[in-house]
Amino acid sequence: MKQSIAFIFLIFSLSILTAQDDTRIYDIINAVSAERIEKDVTTLVNFGTRHTLSDTTSQTRGIGAARRWIKSEFENISSDCNDCLEVFYQKDLIKKGEGARIVKDVWVVNVVAIKRGTKYPNRFIIMSGDIDSRVSDPNNFTSDSPGANDNASGMAGTLEAARVLSQYSFESSIIFVGLSGEEQGLYGGRGLAAHAKQNNWDIVGIFNNDMIGNITGVDGVVSNRDFRIFSEPVPPTETEEERRARRFYGGEVDGISRQLARYVYKTTKTYMPEMNPMLIYRLDRFGRGGHHRPFNDAGFAGIRIMEAHENYTQQHQDIRLEDGIAYGDVLKHVNFGYAKKLTTVNAINLASIAWAPPAPTTVEIGGIVEPAAKLKWSKVDGAVGYKIYWRDTTSPTWDNHRYVGDINEYTLTGIVIDNFFFGVAAVGKDGHESPVVFPNKVFR
Ligand SMILES: [Zn+2]
């Protein structure tokens, strides 16, 4: 009897540090609705076209009507949570000729909804979808352009994640945003990233959702479990000094966006084991772009979350029948159950990060010509402890870890620095963790 009480106590004390015991995560998974996503994708498709240069005065057709509806939907969500969202337009005037796809002056208008954090109000994790759509000619702003999968799916997922997460309170702020101007040259993302810099927003990263509803690939593969997480290896803003240091200390595959990608991979594997996340070690698809890139350009972490099996006859196409193939990004090709799953992937990762303390700003590593790797890090307000992670140099994921409590240095005896990569994450009281920080200093 005594033994079993001791055993129960042991389990209880261990459980304090395990985020998997936070049942709110499972409540979030259960709350995401495929029906509501279907309803919202349908509404967006019914605006006829959402091309960035399309009509803005009609109440029923064009990007103006679409963004007003998205704003009113965020406001409805907000009124269901005691006005918990700050909803506003963030916009920039793009002048004719600024890019090949800007054939007239246009306001690129993003719709932003902020769920303000209780403890770190100026720290943000962002989920985005895109408002705009296109057909075969990128400058055709009048033809029907339903953009059901590209990217009403990502926009509807963002609205649904806002609905579900607005019912909770978080320590960090979450931004739900519909971006515009994606198809014309990533203008909306560029505008919001600049807005973030001007306002000194502390951005943890952005989850750019672009096409999260197709399960039938052009290659014949059908899967409602596979999805991709794209991340660039290192920030394009790194200095020459940082580039030189990488040659000697490593970090070629350990930039901030890559750590965010690994975070999403791990959270998904932990809570949604039926899913197959694929870490793709590149900025985006070969030669193609997406709205996380302008955030990366500004030095912020950002990843693209999307379906694994694309269908090119249903992207950027005039709606037509040709050689027996029905071209066009129409409603019937979207799998709402799958869009729900990828929305859920976003929601649990937004929640985990917004419930976790910030990551340590400084992580130092030492142990050259010694039989032990040594780590030191800056402590974080709100962390109850820290986890040291390490992995084989050839492994894509943080396979080994040690929880070390509320200290700021640790020696991994018997683990030689040369043979592994290392990192440190902060752990909060409910067990939620910050993204892993790769060492950014060396000590001897
Ligand atoms: Zn597109």
Side-chain angles (χ1 to χ4, degrees):
M1 190 60 191
K2 238 184 194 165
Q3 256 176 352
S4 64
I5 287 170
F7 182 66
I8 287 163
F9 183 74
L10 178 68
I11 291 199
F12 178 72
S13 31
L14 285 174
S15 74
I16 290 169
L17 297 170
T18 308
Q20 248 183 300
D21 294 332
D22 188 345
T23 55
R24 293 175 298 180
I25 293 284
Y26 299 100
D27 296 339
I28 289 168
I29 292 173
N30 291 332
V32 178
S33 158
E35 291 70 31
R36 286 192 296 260
I37 291 171
E38 176 169 8
K39 190 162 164 269
D40 290 350
V41 172
T42 306
T43 301
L44 288 163
V45 164
N46 286 342
F47 289 112
T49 174
R50 303 184 310 282
H51 193 285
T52 300
L53 303 173
S54 64
D55 186 89
T56 58
T57 54
S58 164
Q59 292 306 311
T60 54
R61 185 178 175 86
I63 194 160
R67 69 188 175 224
R68 285 190 292 278
W69 175 77
I70 291 164
K71 185 161 181 277
S72 72
E73 206 49 39
F74 276 136
E75 285 162 350
N76 289 341
I77 294 167
S78 187
S79 55
D80 287 342
C81 61
N82 267 318
D83 299 324
C84 77
L85 299 179
E86 298 160 29
V87 183
F88 59 94
Y89 290 132
Q90 184 277 315
K91 60 182 181 177
D92 291 288
L93 181 65
I94 310 296
K95 302 291 265 184
K96 176 182 176 183
E98 195 172 311
R101 295 179 181 179
I102 304 293
V103 295
K104 60 178 181 177
D105 289 1
V106 63
W107 281 99
V108 169
V109 183
N110 301 318
V111 189
V112 186
I114 300 179
K115 167 90 175 133
R116 193 64 68 173
T118 54
K119 184 164 183 178
Y120 313 102
N122 196 46
R123 180 173 181 262
F124 302 92
I125 179 75
I126 308 172
M127 175 179 184
S128 73
D130 301 305
I131 304 171
D132 62 308
S133 64
R134 60 165 282 194
V135 287
S136 301
D137 171 2
N139 294 339
N140 173 353
F141 53 84
T142 52
S143 291
D144 274 351
S145 178
N149 190 41
D150 182 14
N151 185 15
S153 66
M155 187 65 247
T158 302
L159 285 166
E160 177 62 7
R163 253 177 227 117
V164 171
L165 296 185
S166 59
Q167 300 303 309
Y168 297 85
S169 169
F170 299 95
E171 294 193 340
S172 292
S173 298
I174 301 176
I175 297 177
F176 306 94
V177 60
L179 298 171
S180 283
E182 198 269 346
E183 306 290 6
Q184 305 317 108
L186 312 177
Y187 290 97
R190 196 183 75 180
L192 188 64
H195 181 87
K197 285 229 132 162
Q198 276 154 19
N199 291 280
N200 290 314
W201 287 1
D202 175 11
I203 306 258
V204 182
I206 182 168
F207 301 154
N208 166 35
N209 288 264
D210 195 348
M211 293 190 272
I212 61 167
N214 185 61
I215 64 165
T216 308
V218 75
D219 53 0
V221 176
V222 181
S223 167
N224 63 1
R225 296 187 170 200
D226 306 342
F227 75 97
R228 293 180 288 182
I229 308 166
F230 288 90
S231 61
E232 65 178 2
V234 291
T237 51
E238 72 173 353
T239 61
E240 188 57 30
E241 194 185 345
E242 285 166 333
R243 193 192 72 82
R244 204 166 40 240
R246 273 202 283 114
R247 292 190 68 205
F248 303 100
Y249 307 127
E252 296 86 349
V253 291
D254 277 278
I256 51 176
S257 296
R258 188 61 50 77
Q259 305 307 348
L260 191 62
R262 291 193 179 105
Y263 190 97
V264 172
Y265 178 93
K266 182 189 164 191
T267 310
T268 306
K269 285 288 206 185
T270 303
Y271 297 106
M272 301 173 70
E274 73 278 18
M275 298 303 287
N276 302 324
M278 301 159 65
L279 285 171
I280 307 286
Y281 271 28
R282 61 195 327 159
L283 169 64
D284 208 320
R285 290 86 35 87
F286 190 92
R288 291 188 287 165
H291 250 152
H292 54 307
R293 190 172 90 212
F295 288 86
N296 297 158
D297 290 340
F300 299 126
I303 59 175
R304 180 187 187 125
I305 294 174
M306 78 175 298
E307 64 208 24
H309 308 289
E310 291 182 63
N311 197 322
Y312 310 119
T313 62
Q314 297 159 18
Q315 291 175 15
H316 304 175
Q317 296 285 352
D318 291 337
I319 300 168
R320 67 193 190 280
L321 194 67
E322 196 178 297
D323 300 329
I325 298 169
Y327 288 85
D329 188 357
V330 296
L331 192 64
K332 69 173 177 199
H333 298 308
V334 178
N335 186 293
F336 300 103
Y338 178 71
K340 169 194 154 159
K341 290 179 189 178
L342 296 206
T343 298
T344 308
V345 166
N346 280 267
I348 63 173
N349 278 284
L350 294 170
S352 297
I353 287 176
W355 276 326
T361 46
T362 310
V363 173
E364 297 181 61
I365 189 161
I368 296 173
V369 297
E370 289 182 56
K374 299 169 177 173
L375 288 133
K376 296 183 191 175
W377 53 91
S378 54
K379 279 195 152 193
V380 176
D381 172 36
V384 299
Y386 301 86
K387 260 187 195 174
I388 296 175
Y389 283 91
W390 68 99
R391 66 179 205 269
D392 287 348
T393 60
T394 50
S395 173
T397 49
W398 291 114
D399 303 314
N400 314 291
H401 71 264
R402 187 171 299 175
Y403 179 72
V404 296
D406 190 16
I407 54 177
N408 69 343
E409 56 183 304
Y410 195 79
T411 299
L412 288 165
T413 306
I415 296 176
V416 173
I417 193 171
D418 308 326
N419 303 340
F420 304 93
F421 290 140
F422 302 85
V424 178
V427 184
K429 64 179 186 332
D430 298 315
H432 297 291
E433 296 177 29
S434 74
V436 174
V437 178
F438 194 79
N440 41 30
K441 261 188 176 172
V442 173
F443 67 92
R444 286 169 199 269

